[in-house]
Amino acid sequence: RKSTKTLNKPKRNLFPGAPPPPMPITSSGTLADVMGEALVELREMREEIAALRDEMKYMKSRVKYERKRLSNTEEDDYEDEDDMVEHYTNEEDEKMLAHTPEQGVGSTVTRLKRRREFDRIGAEVEEWAHRLLFEEGGEEDGWKEIQCNKFVRKKFNSNGSTKCFMKWLPDQRGRHANPEYGDRKYPCIKCYATIDAPFEEVCSFLSNSDTMPTYNELVIDHRDIEEITPHSKICWSQCPQILFIKSRDFVTFCHLKWKRDGTQVVVNQACDHEDMPGVHEEKEGNTCRAFALRGANFIQRDPKNPDKTRFAILAHADPGGGLPEWTVKTAVNAVAPIEPFKLFHNINSQIIAAGPSPPRAEMVSSLSGRSARPGGLSQLGYACFWPNGGGLKEGFLHHEQQQHHQHDDSNLDQLDENLEHLDDDESSDKQQGP
């Protein structure tokens, strides 16, 4: 797997006005945390491997039964399916038999692969966003500064605490990009802002779904579709009509992580989900699908003033519907000088108006590898909230500790290979017939 060590390497901040990139903590006090995280993950993986072993046992018996049934011989260990079901009497095996082979066979492997793939996506998006936010420069790298509209500048950005830049980029999702659109480019906006409130107050305010309407007018409806892990989920959201672009909906993967220096990192990437299929052409009475292609939010305590909080956000979006490029550019050029500045103005003013948040009972156990701190927020294209904690602590994923977990990954890869062989054997027998 590709290493993410470059994320922890201090970089010279090339972008004027940008907050410093999150810096790694190298004190010896983190060693105990890393060891604790490794132990927790090993324990989880041991349980997963045990579940895989049980499922492989069931699959082998199923394949054996099907082979003998198809061969129509009298040498079956199980004369009928009831005998085979009787062979599995414990509760876990009964749960496996409650699904058809198409639903149950390989379900554990599929679940693990799915979870690991989304964790990889989270790491890839973070690395991509870190490069664009903290390593790329300004005009020399194609970024054009967006000035706040002069008619709202006094209200939304009077002290110049928010800076925004835009660049048109093709879909950056790599293997997950839609090949039909080729090199078509979409607007990518990055912003840097300072909020006049302590970091803890900002995180608590943004993690509350009830406060979302007070700062983000570009999400009018939202809900969670699927929880992938305690620190990641797939969300659905809807935005209102923006100028002449009709209302759109989004399906977006969101991932929460806490870096060792305390920085909250929320990344997102557009995805599909069978429970929420999209309409890709504008039709009367239907909401067309748009895509929050990729994005990231780095929220950190201001190193110069502990009573302030710094933001660095990145948003790359496709409005969908097959709109002509000139139409998209017209809308973006009208909205970009207003909405980003309005967003941070609303966050700042609403947090100050709300005052200190009340003491919060921690609902998620603060185990090594999981944070009990509230996290999440809403941007155009998604609304993801973890008010009771659950975010991933830096260094917990096996792709971030590649050498430590290399043996465990090879075990899982071997199990995947064994399952594929079983599927091949079963397909071969069915093709041959009795």
Side-chain angles (χ1 to χ4, degrees), residues 335-346:
V335 171
I338 300 175
E339 291 300 332
F341 301 94
K342 183 179 180 181
L343 172 71
F344 288 111
H345 166 77
N346 288 345

Side-chain angles (χ1 to χ4, degrees), residues 2-218:
K2 184 177 179 179
S3 173
T4 57
K5 290 182 178 179
T6 56
L7 290 177
N8 296 327
K9 183 179 179 181
K11 296 287 185 178
R12 182 171 60 91
N13 194 352
L14 301 178
F15 207 90
M23 298 294 290
I25 292 178
T26 57
S27 65
S28 58
T30 62
L31 180 59
D33 291 337
V34 173
M35 295 300 294
E37 293 163 6
L39 289 173
V40 171
E41 186 170 4
L42 284 174
R43 188 181 303 115
E44 289 181 356
M45 295 191 71
R46 188 182 302 114
E47 294 172 356
E48 292 166 355
I49 291 173
L52 284 168
R53 189 179 296 112
D54 290 339
E55 186 165 356
M56 288 187 65
K57 178 182 176 183
Y58 163 75
M59 291 174 61
K60 288 178 180 178
S61 297
R62 168 70 72 174
V63 171
K64 185 176 181 181
Y65 167 78
E66 290 294 333
R67 284 175 175 172
K68 293 188 177 181
R69 183 179 65 79
L70 291 172
S71 64
N72 198 24
T73 66
E74 299 295 330
E75 301 176 1
D76 267 345
D77 287 343
Y78 312 111
E79 294 185 2
D80 56 34
E81 185 132 0
D82 288 338
D83 289 338
M84 191 179 117
V85 173
E86 188 176 350
H87 184 70
Y88 293 89
T89 57
N90 65 62
E91 293 182 359
E92 292 183 1
D93 290 334
E94 286 177 2
K95 289 180 181 179
M96 285 191 290
L97 290 173
H99 301 278
T100 62
E102 289 76 14
Q103 294 173 331
V105 173
S107 61
T108 303
V109 171
T110 301
R111 187 170 62 252
L112 291 174
K113 283 184 175 180
R114 180 178 173 80
R115 190 178 72 182
R116 293 164 68 191
E117 176 61 19
F118 275 116
D119 279 337
R120 288 191 191 102
I121 291 173
E124 290 169 0
V125 176
E126 183 185 347
E127 184 174 9
W128 167 80
H130 191 278
R131 175 172 54 81
L132 268 59
L133 285 169
F134 302 118
E135 298 175 27
E136 284 197 359
E139 292 185 0
E140 67 273 19
D141 288 314
W143 292 96
K144 181 181 179 181
E145 184 170 3
I146 303 172
Q147 298 291 341
C148 184
N149 186 296
K150 63 181 180 179
F151 294 107
V152 296
R153 187 178 303 159
K154 186 175 180 180
K155 178 180 180 180
F156 293 155
N157 197 35
S158 59
N159 60 0
S161 62
T162 300
K163 294 184 178 296
C164 295
F165 306 84
M166 184 167 64
K167 182 178 181 179
W168 291 75
L169 297 169
D171 192 340
Q172 301 286 291
R173 292 177 295 167
R175 62 189 180 281
H176 300 287
N178 189 339
E180 295 181 6
Y181 295 105
D183 294 330
R184 181 171 180 174
K185 295 183 178 181
Y186 308 97
C188 184
I189 295 177
K190 63 179 180 180
C191 302
Y192 308 92
T194 300
I195 302 299
D196 298 321
F199 177 71
E200 291 78 12
E201 296 295 332
V202 173
C203 293
S204 178
F205 176 85
L206 294 176
S207 70
N208 185 351
S209 61
D210 293 336
T211 65
M212 183 199 72
T214 67
Y215 68 88
N216 187 3
E217 299 174 1
L218 298 182

Side-chain angles (χ1 to χ4, degrees), residues 166-385:
M166 184 167 64
K167 182 178 181 179
W168 291 75
L169 297 169
D171 192 340
Q172 301 286 291
R173 292 177 295 167
R175 62 189 180 281
H176 300 287
N178 189 339
E180 295 181 6
Y181 295 105
D183 294 330
R184 181 171 180 174
K185 295 183 178 181
Y186 308 97
C188 184
I189 295 177
K190 63 179 180 180
C191 302
Y192 308 92
T194 300
I195 302 299
D196 298 321
F199 177 71
E200 291 78 12
E201 296 295 332
V202 173
C203 293
S204 178
F205 176 85
L206 294 176
S207 70
N208 185 351
S209 61
D210 293 336
T211 65
M212 183 199 72
T214 67
Y215 68 88
N216 187 3
E217 299 174 1
L218 298 182
V219 173
I220 58 175
D221 195 8
H222 69 94
R223 62 177 174 270
D224 292 349
I225 303 175
E226 179 187 353
E227 181 181 271
I228 305 297
T229 67
H231 59 270
S232 62
K233 61 180 72 176
I234 295 177
C235 310
W236 172 88
S237 67
Q238 183 178 359
C239 73
Q241 178 167 333
I242 302 174
L243 298 180
F244 46 81
I245 298 179
K246 295 180 180 180
S247 177
R248 295 288 197 261
D249 73 346
F250 302 78
V251 172
T252 311
F253 165 71
C254 299
H255 182 282
L256 171 63
K257 175 181 173 181
W258 294 90
K259 298 182 75 64
R260 290 193 180 97
D261 66 354
T263 300
Q264 180 186 170
V265 181
V266 178
V267 300
N268 69 277
Q269 179 165 300
C271 64
D272 296 320
H273 198 282
E274 60 184 1
D275 292 345
M276 199 62 67
V279 175
H280 298 287
E281 295 181 1
E282 289 193 351
K283 298 179 181 178
E284 193 65 31
N286 291 324
T287 301
C288 188
R289 177 62 49 84
F291 306 91
L293 295 172
R294 269 187 172 181
N297 304 266
F298 289 76
I299 309 172
Q300 64 179 157
R301 192 186 313 278
D302 189 328
K304 296 180 180 179
N305 187 340
D307 292 328
K308 294 187 177 184
T309 302
R310 285 187 171 181
F311 269 82
I313 71 169
L314 190 67
H316 189 208
D318 169 14
L323 296 175
E325 190 169 339
W326 70 266
T327 305
V328 177
K329 287 189 175 181
T330 301
V332 170
N333 290 336
V335 171
I338 300 175
E339 291 300 332
F341 301 94
K342 183 179 180 181
L343 172 71
F344 288 111
H345 166 77
N346 288 345
I347 292 175
N348 190 76
S349 61
Q350 291 299 322
I351 291 177
I352 293 174
S357 57
R360 182 184 61 91
E362 293 185 355
M363 302 298 293
V364 175
S365 177
S366 184
L367 296 173
S368 292
R370 302 283 174 203
S371 174
R373 289 180 288 183
L377 75 166
S378 173
Q379 299 278 16
L380 175 64
Y382 59 92
C384 56
F385 307 103

